[in-house]
Amino acid sequence: MSDKSTLTLFAHYNQLMNAKVYAAAKSLGTPIVTNDYNAFFRSILGTLNHILVADIIWLTRFANHPAQFRALNIIVNFPKPTSLDQIIYDDLEKLEESRASLDAAIIEFIHELKSEHLTSNLTYHNTKGASFTKSFLHLLHHFFNHQTHHRGQVTTLLSQHNTDIGSTDLLQLLPNV
């Protein structure tokens, strides 16, 4: 598999898992989704907001890549997070709508990538203003890994309410060869 095909796989996996997580969360109802379970981002809703917040922050940084990816123009339509634990949407329906829109843009963004982009570096500033220059490919891997990490936290909270989203294995999307 090439780097681009791996990233394409990750983007589709991200979209599929987000759809499954949101469907499961909606089945629980607002009190359970918003309850503070002393999780790192407090609640299911808080954790889902964190994933969206981090994605917005990273996609904004990626939009500043010299290649100027068209698919990332959508990022201007999203709220600008001020903290990693910010609740951008306290309504699960609106959060899900934004998540779906962003997931579609992520797939389009990955589609736009060319091999020269994947061998480039990206300079960005973190939320505290420190400047970094890192491999763009490695940052993309981090971007997808971060989503997977926090979705794992959400699936734990869901399972504590007897809500199973089914298989979360990437293996289900790997093609037979």
Side-chain angles (χ1 to χ4, degrees), residues 131-148:
S131 180
F132 297 90
T133 300
K134 298 192 183 266
S135 159
F136 190 48
L137 178 61
H138 291 164
L139 291 173
L140 290 165
H141 286 173
H142 166 74
F143 172 73
F144 287 114
N145 185 64
H146 179 265
Q147 297 165 353
T148 301

Side-chain angles (χ1 to χ4, degrees), residues 33-124:
V33 170
T34 58
N35 191 50
D36 184 342
Y37 296 104
N38 204 26
F40 197 76
F41 291 97
R42 316 306 295 160
S43 64
I44 293 169
L45 186 75
T47 306
L48 293 174
N49 266 281
H50 168 71
I51 297 168
L52 187 74
V53 162
D55 283 2
I56 292 169
I57 290 169
W58 277 110
L59 292 171
T60 300
R61 292 170 182 164
F62 298 160
N64 289 322
H65 189 283
Q68 299 182 351
F69 303 103
R70 281 179 286 109
L72 297 182
N73 290 342
I74 192 174
I75 205 68
V76 299
N77 298 327
F78 285 83
K80 301 300 173 242
T82 56
S83 70
L84 292 173
D85 61 354
Q86 181 176 349
I87 302 296
I88 293 180
Y89 298 104
D90 58 6
D91 175 83
L92 188 59
E93 295 289 332
K94 287 185 184 214
L95 183 61
E96 180 184 31
E97 186 178 302
S98 288
R99 176 78 265 165
S101 175
L102 205 57
D103 287 346
I106 290 167
I107 289 171
E108 288 302 313
F109 160 54
I110 298 302
H111 180 72
E112 284 184 59
L113 291 173
K114 294 183 174 24
S115 59
E116 61 265 20
H117 302 141
L118 299 178
T119 58
S120 68
N121 295 322
L122 180 70
T123 299
Y124 67 94

